Amino acid sequence: MAMPLRQSIKVATYLAEQKIRRRDKFPLIVELEPLFACNLKCEGCGKIQHPAGVLKQRMPVAQAVGAVMESGAPMVSIAGGEPLMHPQIDEIVRQLVAKRKYVFLCTNAMLLRKKMDHFTPSPYFAFAVHIDGLRERHDESVAKEGVFDEAVEAIKEAKRRGFRVTTNSTFFNTDTPQTIIEVLNFLNDDLQVDEMMISPAYAYEKAPDQEHFLGVEQTRELFKKAFSGGNRRRWRLNHSPLFLDFLEGKVDFPCTAWAIPNYSLFGWQRPCYLMSDGYVPTYRELVEDTDWDKYGRGKDPRCANCMAHCGYEPTAVLATMGSLKESLRALRETVSGNRE
């Protein structure tokens, strides 16, 4: 795991505080969506299907920052839509960083080089660029030619200016172990991004393409082969070792979607950013008024093939914190990743 040591310590301290306070449900990272509009129309996305009136809305800065502070989470992932289309996204980031929140701004990078001057490098801030494959595969995924090349140039420029740059890659049943290896090798070795996040695609109900989402067994076989030959240890993956074990099918976990809650223009989304069973105005209401026991694989048919990080990464993190052996294992990988 390549998470910076300072961030690892802050997250570990936060988790210890929750245990001392005997809180059984708390947020690890907030998925903040200050808009739904996007400048791409990816076939696997279920967020751009909202009515035109909704797509024109932009969340006020105070509302965005207030929701994160209300939750108490130490980390924030700003998504959408395309966050760089929000006219005050730099102010949202600035205020969250000033409050010592670790902020990841998720972007397709089409506007990144134009907007980069509005941001300042900080150990609390990173651009998280969406890359689903090498040139042909990525451009096909986002349904537009030239996006991969622009993203690569934007990553190079951001790195040159001293920004932390992470990537987020979603894989479908059209991927093979080799296509995964190729793109992660490129990101890790050629572009030398700071961290990489990976996830099997989840079947968004409103996504235009419903044919290419992965099943559980497909996911396990795909990642087991991609991780072989020492790749998993060599790549700077921004995941706990237990979550990577989970992707390979070495362990299984229940879903803990309450730990990565989603806050959007509609409020706190129940139960997660991938499913929509209504919204509530506060995080406390989300936690206390949601029947969490009815969600997850084997409980809700919509969850049958889900192995997404938003539900299972926090479970893996909590399992790591509850085991001295796994905590030491994660610490070794964190220290090793920070030495490279």
Side-chain angles (χ1 to χ4, degrees), residues 101-133:
K101 300 296 182 182
Y102 284 93
V103 180
F104 297 85
L105 194 157
C106 303
T107 175
N108 58 38
M110 292 294 288
L111 296 172
L112 183 50
R113 285 198 286 177
K114 295 179 181 179
K115 301 283 187 175
M116 208 174 295
D117 286 339
H118 296 274
F119 300 90
T120 303
S122 166
Y124 288 93
F125 176 66
F127 290 114
V129 180
H130 192 81
I131 300 286
D132 279 348

Side-chain angles (χ1 to χ4, degrees), residues 18 27 39 42 77 143 145 154 175 195 198 212 252 269 279 282 321 340:
Q18 307 314 304
N39 48 4
C42 304
S77 174
E145 292 185 2
D175 279 291
E195 304 158 359
I198 58 179
H212 297 123
D252 202 8
Q269 183 170 326
Y279 299 85
T282 67
M321 290 296 294
E340 293 177 355

Side-chain angles (χ1 to χ4, degrees), residues 20-35:
I20 291 172
R21 296 178 181 180
R22 298 183 178 180
R23 292 177 177 167
D24 60 349
K25 291 183 177 62
F26 47 84
L28 186 61
I29 180 170
V30 170
E31 293 275 0
L32 177 67
E33 294 178 331
L35 79 172

Side-chain angles (χ1 to χ4, degrees), residues 245-266:
D245 287 348
F246 169 75
L247 289 181
E248 288 192 66
K250 293 179 178 178
V251 296
D252 202 8
F253 292 122
C255 175
T256 50
W258 44 262
I260 305 187
N262 172 271
Y263 185 78
S264 71
L265 294 164
F266 301 141

Side-chain angles (χ1 to χ4, degrees), residues 230-303:
N231 286 330
R232 171 176 156 174
R233 186 167 185 80
R234 184 174 60 81
W235 290 329
R236 291 182 296 279
L237 297 173
N238 187 21
H239 294 288
S240 65
L242 276 180
F243 179 71
L244 299 178
D245 287 348
F246 169 75
L247 289 181
E248 288 192 66
K250 293 179 178 178
V251 296
D252 202 8
F253 292 122
C255 175
T256 50
W258 44 262
I260 305 187
N262 172 271
Y263 185 78
S264 71
L265 294 164
F266 301 141
W268 294 96
Q269 183 170 326
R270 181 186 288 136
C272 65
Y273 85 96
L274 296 169
M275 291 167 54
S276 181
D277 283 353
Y279 299 85
V280 293
T282 67
Y283 177 73
R284 174 171 289 186
E285 288 178 75
L286 177 71
V287 170
E288 295 179 355
D289 297 343
T290 303
D291 184 2
W292 298 103
D293 291 336
K294 73 178 185 179
Y295 295 106
R297 282 184 286 117
K299 298 177 181 179
D300 188 314
R302 295 172 297 176
C303 305

Side-chain angles (χ1 to χ4, degrees), residues 10 46 69 122 144 155 204 227 255 260 264 283 313 329-330:
K10 180 165 184 175
M69 298 309 295
S122 166
K144 186 174 183 179
I155 288 172
Y204 273 109
F227 288 161
C255 175
I260 305 187
S264 71
Y283 177 73
E313 176 78 82
R329 178 190 179 197

